[in-house]
Amino acid sequence: LDVGRFPSTSEGLEALVKKPGNAAGWNGPYLKSEVPMDPWSNEYQYKYPGEHSEVDIFTYGANGTPGGEGEDRDVGNWK
């Protein structure tokens, strides 16, 4: 809300803790610490604009690669 837009894909979730260069109005950090890792200690993936919703935040699961089943299944904010 402060900046008036979502972070770009290249700015990513890191924009919640460090001001992107062109983010006038940024008033963070918006998290108390670094961006958390997913349950498998991998970085969360972020896309804006998203393919499944306005913003996609997701993990590739235990294997860290797209696709898979069980613990390797992709999990996102759209599922």
Side-chain angles (χ1 to χ4, degrees):
L1 292 172
D2 293 338
V3 177
R5 63 174 177 80
F6 288 109
S8 67
T9 298
S10 63
E11 292 169 336
L13 295 173
E14 189 67 21
L16 298 174
V17 292
K18 295 181 184 163
K19 180 182 178 184
N22 62 350
W26 192 89
N27 194 29
Y30 300 100
L31 297 175
K32 293 181 181 180
S33 61
E34 293 298 312
V35 176
M37 303 298 264
D38 74 10
W40 300 276
S41 299
N42 297 315
E43 291 183 6
Y44 281 100
Q45 305 296 309
Y46 172 85
K47 285 186 182 179
Y48 176 74
E51 295 175 18
H52 303 279
S53 56
E54 188 171 10
V55 172
D56 290 351
I57 301 172
F58 57 101
T59 174
Y60 288 130
N63 65 0
T65 60
E69 297 180 16
E71 290 287 313
D72 295 332
R73 180 176 63 101
D74 302 348
V75 179
N77 61 313
W78 62 90
K79 292 183 180 180

